[in-house]
Amino acid sequence: MTALQPQPRPQLRIHWRTPITMVILLVILVGGAWWGWNSLSNSSAGPTCVDQQLPNNRLVPKQVSVNVYNGGAKGGTAAAVADQLRKRGFHVAKVANEPNGNKVETVEIRGNANTAPELQLVAGQTAQKAVPVADGRDSHTVDLVVGTKYTKLNAKGLASVAVAPGSSVCLPTIYTPQPVPKGQNPN
């Protein structure tokens, strides 16, 4: 009979790959979160509007950016209103249904302040009394929402609005599309 021999104890082997991999992944995650937060908080986006002195102390349609929304009118009304505003010289940025889904009775005009010259100029285009809504937006764009009882724009709207002499007006930055050079694919 052979005597039982004591077996060697298994050596305690530490697997270092898993903890090291986890630490590296955690460092990458924290670094990515820091970079993302920094990118959001220190945005290099340009200003939404620029303070300007107006020639002759008058605000004209070509200096105003308008979003036209359908707030309950029949389909295509917002597009038709937008076309008329373009013909009058306004810069129409968006044409869509009312973003919040709210229904409007006649006409609602939204902008920075009720007394803002850009709101007064757009209100001067409507045949019906427009309800002004001041939302304090920084961009100084104007939202024109046409509602269920909207009829038409004035045959001849306001050509300009007077502003106080020597005062500056914050005008939205209007970007115009650049033509594609000949022979280049825009896609």
Side-chain angles (χ1 to χ4, degrees):
M1 228 168 140
T2 59
L4 291 175
Q5 303 257 339
Q7 295 292 321
R9 287 187 114 183
Q11 297 226 348
L12 202 55
R13 193 169 158 204
I14 299 176
H15 299 282
W16 287 102
R17 266 191 219 153
T18 303
I20 290 174
T21 303
M22 292 301 288
V23 167
I24 290 172
L25 289 175
L26 185 62
V27 167
I28 291 171
L29 178 69
V30 169
W34 175 82
W35 177 79
W37 178 255
N38 241 3
S39 295
L40 280 175
S41 60
N42 300 329
S43 176
S44 62
T48 56
C49 71
V50 180
D51 280 328
Q52 297 179 14
Q53 295 281 336
L54 297 177
N56 302 328
N57 297 316
R58 313 267 325 150
L59 179 68
V60 294
K62 71 178 183 178
Q63 298 167 317
V64 178
S65 183
V66 182
N67 301 319
V68 183
Y69 295 124
N70 188 337
K74 71 177 188 175
T77 305
V81 170
D83 287 340
Q84 290 177 350
L85 290 175
R86 277 189 196 100
K87 289 177 184 172
R88 294 179 184 190
F90 288 92
H91 175 264
V92 177
K94 292 181 192 173
V95 179
N97 287 330
E98 205 281 328
N100 300 326
N102 298 336
K103 299 293 180 196
V104 175
E105 187 146 341
T106 53
V107 180
E108 188 174 278
I109 297 180
R110 302 176 189 147
N112 178 281
N114 289 345
T115 58
E118 62 270 13
L119 240 66
Q120 294 172 359
L121 186 59
V122 174
Q125 308 303 313
T126 62
Q128 296 151 303
K129 173 106 172 95
V131 177
V133 177
D135 57 12
R137 65 182 68 180
D138 293 335
S139 67
H140 286 265
T141 58
V142 178
D143 293 347
L144 174 63
V145 185
V146 292
T148 54
K149 295 182 182 177
Y150 166 79
T151 55
K152 62 180 179 173
L153 291 179
N154 277 336
K156 185 173 181 177
L158 286 177
S160 65
V161 171
V163 295
S167 67
S168 62
V169 176
C170 196
L171 298 175
T173 306
I174 298 175
Y175 298 100
T176 55
Q178 299 297 318
V180 177
K182 186 176 180 181
Q184 292 185 1
N185 185 356
N187 298 327

